[in-house]
Every structure is written in C-alpha cells, then in structure tokens.
Amino acid sequence: MRSGRAPVPLRGAREARDAVTLARLLRGTITPLRGDEVLALLEPHRPRLVPKPVNPLAAMLGQPQGRLLEALLRPTAPIILDVLLPRLRDHLIDRVVHNKGTAEDGLPGALEVATALRALVALLRGAGRGAGLSVVSAIEADARADADRLVRGEAPGAIAEDDPAGVTAGAMDGLAHALLRFEARRLMLETLGATVALRDVVYQSRRLTRHALRRAAEAMDGFGADRGIKALHASLATLASVDGLLVVAMRNLDDQEEHREEANAFVEPADRKAMNDCLSAAWRLSDTLFDLVGKAANGGDLDELLFEALLRQLRSLHQFCTDLDHAGRPAVLDTLERRLAERSRALAGIAGERLVGILLARPADPAKARRLLARGQSLAQLLYDMGQDGDELEALALRLVIARDALNHAAA
C-alpha cells in the first residue's frame, strides 16, 4: 500500500455472501416459506425506488416447481440484476484481479461466488450475463498484462541491470507465485464456463512457465561459463528458491501432459524443450560444482564461505531431483539424482583420505588439517541431507572423529 492511504475495502462482501445463499435457496424445493426466505434475504439490497415485492407463492399451492420458480423470480429479478450481479462482478474482480483480501469471517470463497453468479444468470435465462463477461474480460486482460510484464522482467525484483543471468534473489519464488495466480485464474474461468478466455490464459501460463525455466537455465549455465561472484549469486538465488523451481517444473510437466505436441526430427515441442534445456543446465552445473568441491576437498585453496555455497547448490540440486514427483517426470532426473549421490560419496572418500594424509605428513600442518576437517564435516552433512547414510558416511565420520582427537591432543 502507498504510504498515507488507507487500504481500499473489498467490494461486495455482503452481496457475495447473500448471493451464495440465494443460489442455494433457489436450487432447492420452492415453497411459500422458501419464497419468504428469498424475499427477506434480498430486502437489504432493494433499491429505494423499487417497490417491496410481495410473495406470490401463497396463492399458487400445487403448481409445478418451474412455475413457482418463475413466479418468485419475477418480482426479485430487478434486485438481482441491478444490485446483486454488479456487486458480484466487482467483488470477483477485486479478489481475482486486484488480489484483495479481507479478514471478515464467513466470506465464501471466490469460486463459490463465481458459481453463484453463473447459477443466477442461468436462472434468469441469460439476463445479467454482462456481469460474468466483465469478470472474464478483466481476468483475461490481467493475465495477459501479468505475463507480458514478467516475461519482459518488469516485475519488482525480478531482473536487475547488474545481474548477468537475469535472476536475482527471490525471482524464482516470484515467478512461481505468479504461476499459482494463473492457476487461480484458470479455476475461475472454468467455473464461469469461459472456454475461449481459458485457452488464452492457459497459453499465457505456459509462456510464463517456459520463461521461468529459461531464466533458471541461464543462471545455472552462467556460473559454469563465468565463475565470478555475480554468476555465483545468480546460480545461488535460483537454487535457493528450490521450492519455487519445483512449482515451475511441475506446471511445465502438467502442460506437457495437457497439450501433447508431436515432436519430429526438426522441431521439439516448446514446453519439452524448456524443461530439457533446464535439466541440461543443471547437469552442467553439477559438473562445475563437483570440480570445484573436489579440488577443495583434496586440499585446494578455496574460501570457506564459497565452499559452503557450492555444497548448498549440490544439496538443492539433489532436493530438486528427489522432490519432483510427477507422472511425466523425465528419466534424466533419476540419472542426475544417482550421479549426485555417487559423486558426493566419492568426494567424502577423497576428503577422508586426504585428511588422514595431512595428519600423517611430516612436518605437520595443523592449519590445513583443521581446514580439511571443517570441509569434511560439511561433506558429511551433505551426505546425511541426501539420505546417503551408508558405509561412506560412517567411514568419513570415523576419520573426522580421529582427526579431531588428534588435533586436540596436539594442541594440548
């Protein structure tokens, strides 16, 4: 909210609640008592110039339900058309397009309100259809503008000028949140029966998903090509938002299932290509990470904070592989998951052997031994986080205990 301005209240909250109740009443058996309930419910919404309706059902006992419903709608239709439906339109636009909320108790969900709006328009035989169309148009326009803004990188915090990969901290989470908003739009349009607008929103969602995967691939490839601080920051930011990356990947796999496109020798479907490019970048990033971590575990010079950052990326890559549970899960994820675990176990063996070698070397180098001890502890934690609690972890843990005791004894 802009400073100095009070929050704008959510419009049509009472009308939304009463419309859901009204739709439920009109779906049930129409009786004179039910007619009294409907009139009492609509009375607070009756404009001053509209005469107070009289229940017509008392004199229609024994008539068919269709005639009773038609008779009840005749005096109440002006209130529904002129007051209730326009307020439902404003209410849904506020909640779905402007993303407004309220702490008011008992407020029905947006989908319930949309269902009520559609039901009331159907009961009125299409009268008031413009209210629903206005909601559909607003959602469609908002989705298109949202996708354009995000793909161009105009969302706050999405892309900075000094970010070579185009991904800053929180950008992936922001894109994932935007995709979840697209899910809400899709559900709303399905509820309103807007098939044409739904196709456009689905297209915009797929477009945004491919953009997010391309950004992730660029960030991961950027560190492999340029191992500078800016590239490392972009790669770290992407993998630190592993939950956001999972949301994006799941949406992409859903899109591939919902919109199966035939591939040929010349053209690869865009959704599949975006996912494959991202996974290829993850594979290449793992090579770079293991190369740097392997040198550090073998005693090479590397800043300790950088070493921990590299291990965090390996941990996040493994989490991405294990947590992406989908029927259309690419087989390369299983291969990458096994490879991450195998190479991490191998690194643990190298670190343990190198640590023992440093302790046995003469002259002794306590500073280097302590540095390798700290790195070995970090590698042990990495194996534990990956669920690799087998012989390699036990062997490394034993060597770490022996090394710690030896260094403490030498210091004493």
Side-chain angles (χ1 to χ4, degrees):
M1 299 301 301
R2 295 180 181 178
S3 58
R5 291 191 179 184
V8 179
L10 180 67
R11 294 178 293 177
R14 178 174 182 176
E15 287 82 353
R17 187 185 301 106
D18 290 347
V20 171
T21 304
L22 177 62
R24 177 179 54 80
L25 291 174
L26 295 178
R27 279 196 306 269
T29 303
I30 305 300
T31 62
L33 183 60
R34 178 65 54 88
D36 289 337
E37 290 183 62
V38 169
L39 295 177
L41 182 68
L42 292 176
E43 178 59 25
H45 306 289
R46 180 174 60 87
R48 292 181 180 179
L49 298 181
V50 174
K52 184 174 182 178
V54 178
N55 187 353
L57 304 184
M60 298 181 65
L61 294 176
Q63 295 290 329
Q65 283 291 303
R67 293 193 63 185
L68 292 176
L69 178 60
E70 184 178 352
L72 181 59
L73 288 175
R74 195 174 297 117
T76 57
I79 304 174
I80 299 172
L81 283 172
D82 297 338
V83 179
L84 221 56
L85 294 184
R87 295 292 285 173
L88 293 187
R89 173 200 64 205
D90 296 340
H91 180 80
L92 289 174
I93 289 175
D94 278 357
R95 292 182 72 171
V96 182
V97 177
H98 300 149
N99 204 28
K100 293 180 182 177
T102 179
E104 187 175 349
D105 294 333
L107 188 65
L111 293 180
E112 289 182 85
V113 179
T115 302
L117 187 151
R118 188 178 182 185
L120 292 175
V121 170
L123 288 172
L124 295 174
R125 299 180 182 179
R129 184 168 173 264
L133 292 177
S134 296
V135 176
V136 169
S137 298
I139 293 174
E140 188 177 10
D142 178 58
R144 192 179 299 114
D146 214 11
D148 287 343
R149 183 172 61 254
L150 289 166
V151 169
R152 288 196 302 263
E154 296 178 2
I159 296 178
E161 293 180 359
D162 59 349
D163 185 353
V167 179
T168 58
M172 191 55 59
D173 283 338
L175 291 171
H177 181 73
L179 284 173
L180 292 177
R181 287 199 65 202
F182 269 92
E183 293 298 310
R185 295 183 183 106
R186 292 172 68 164
L187 288 172
M188 181 62 62
L189 293 176
E190 287 174 359
T191 302
L192 292 172
T195 55
V196 176
L198 178 61
R199 283 196 293 270
D200 183 48
V201 168
V202 168
Y203 167 77
Q204 299 298 339
S205 175
R206 293 173 65 190
R207 175 184 168 214
L208 182 58
T209 303
R210 293 193 295 267
H211 165 76
L213 289 175
R214 284 195 297 269
R215 288 299 183 189
E218 289 171 9
M220 290 186 283
D221 269 338
F223 183 58
D226 174 15
R227 300 179 184 183
I229 295 299
K230 289 182 179 179
L232 173 64
H233 171 69
S235 179
L236 276 172
T238 297
L239 291 176
S241 303
V242 65
D243 290 335
L245 188 57
L246 283 167
V247 169
V248 172
M250 293 285 282
R251 181 65 260 171
N252 174 270
L253 294 175
D254 285 342
D255 289 337
Q256 290 189 48
E257 279 197 348
E258 295 169 6
H259 310 278
R260 295 188 180 276
E261 300 178 36
E262 292 295 332
N264 56 52
F266 305 101
V267 178
E268 184 179 18
D271 293 328
R272 188 192 308 173
K273 183 179 186 306
M275 174 60 76
N276 289 342
D277 289 347
C278 184
L279 295 179
S280 297
W283 190 285
R284 291 188 291 271
L285 176 63
S286 71
D287 283 337
T288 301
L289 295 174
F290 279 120
D291 178 49
L292 294 172
V293 173
K295 292 176 181 177
N298 202 29
D301 291 331
L302 190 69
D303 182 81
E304 298 307 316
L305 291 177
L306 177 57
F307 181 75
E308 294 294 333
L310 299 178
L311 291 188
R312 283 200 302 274
Q313 292 193 74
L314 286 174
R315 187 179 294 109
S316 296
L317 275 178
H318 186 266
Q319 181 185 347
F320 176 73
C321 293
T322 55
D323 290 358
L324 187 55
D325 186 14
H326 193 280
R329 172 187 170 94
V332 69
L333 278 171
D334 297 325
T335 307
L336 180 57
E337 181 181 347
R338 288 194 300 271
R339 187 168 180 270
L340 288 167
E342 290 169 359
R343 295 195 66 174
S344 297
R345 292 197 299 267
L347 276 178
I350 293 172
E353 292 173 3
R354 183 60 176 165
L355 178 59
V356 172
I358 291 294
L359 290 172
L360 296 177
R362 292 294 179 268
D365 190 346
K368 190 171 186 179
R370 291 188 183 280
R371 184 167 68 248
L372 286 177
L373 175 63
R375 292 177 181 178
Q377 291 170 337
S378 297
L379 283 169
Q381 185 64 47
L382 174 66
L383 287 181
Y384 181 80
D385 293 340
M386 286 183 171
Q388 305 300 309
D389 51 357
D391 295 340
E392 293 83 358
L393 180 57
E394 290 182 7
L396 177 59
L398 179 60
R399 287 170 173 169
L400 292 174
V401 170
I402 294 173
R404 188 185 304 109
D405 290 343
L407 288 171
N408 290 338
H409 180 73

